[in-house]
Amino acid sequence: MARYDVAVIGLGRFGSALALRLVEEGREVLGVDVDEAAVDALADRIDHLAIAEARDEETLRQLDIRPDTLVVLGMTPVAASLMTATALNELGVREIWAKAGSRQHVEALTRLGVSRIIQPEREAGLAMASEILHR
């Protein structure tokens, strides 16, 4: 069993909200970001944090990411997301979820075998349209 239930890589608005909610529910979460300020902002609320560029297999190993860790990619930059997903695949991680910013990003993540892909802005827009249509 992995040391962490979930690893969230990319602690912007999306990743930090996700990580904090999981911690509130008692999950063991590893939060990872290259931005020291993003990590520092969560230091008093998340026990396991790392400042790291998680684009390669060795870094992921050092972070104790294992094949049974659910990993969520919370970053939008396509290159970082795809490189990290590729490294996670090389490490044998079985379940990768990701945030995507465009249709092309979704397509590339799908080809890499990412289990679950979310487009938050698109999905929020569709949800709001549905609310308006059902008023």
Side-chain angles (χ1 to χ4, degrees):
M1 186 66 168
R3 179 175 164 196
Y4 314 107
D5 298 322
V6 181
V8 179
I9 301 174
L11 297 172
R13 290 186 306 244
F14 175 84
S16 62
L18 172 67
L20 288 169
R21 178 73 173 120
L22 292 171
V23 167
E24 287 171 7
E25 293 298 320
R27 293 302 196 84
E28 287 295 318
V29 175
L30 169 64
V32 181
D33 203 292
V34 295
D35 182 0
E36 185 175 351
V39 172
D40 287 347
L42 298 169
D44 61 340
R45 296 181 284 170
I46 299 176
D47 292 335
H48 311 287
L49 290 165
I51 301 165
E53 181 62 73
R55 296 183 188 193
D56 65 84
E57 194 176 342
E58 184 54 35
T59 300
L60 295 169
R61 257 196 206 92
Q62 290 173 7
L63 292 169
D64 201 23
I65 304 291
R66 299 178 187 175
D68 60 342
T69 306
L70 167 60
V71 180
V72 179
L73 304 179
M75 73 279 270
T76 302
V78 177
S81 174
L82 298 180
M83 290 174 69
T84 305
T86 300
L88 289 164
N89 280 329
E90 290 171 358
L91 195 61
V93 173
R94 293 185 290 272
E95 197 165 7
I96 304 167
W97 293 20
K99 171 184 160 184
S102 68
R103 182 189 56 75
Q104 295 89 347
H105 193 181
V106 169
E107 181 65 29
L109 289 167
T110 299
R111 290 179 185 206
L112 288 172
V114 171
S115 309
R116 169 85 164 89
I117 303 167
I118 184 172
Q119 288 184 276
E121 290 180 349
R122 180 179 185 281
E123 292 178 28
L126 292 173
M128 185 173 281
S130 181
E131 281 184 51
I132 290 168
L133 292 170
H134 293 96
R135 284 182 76 209

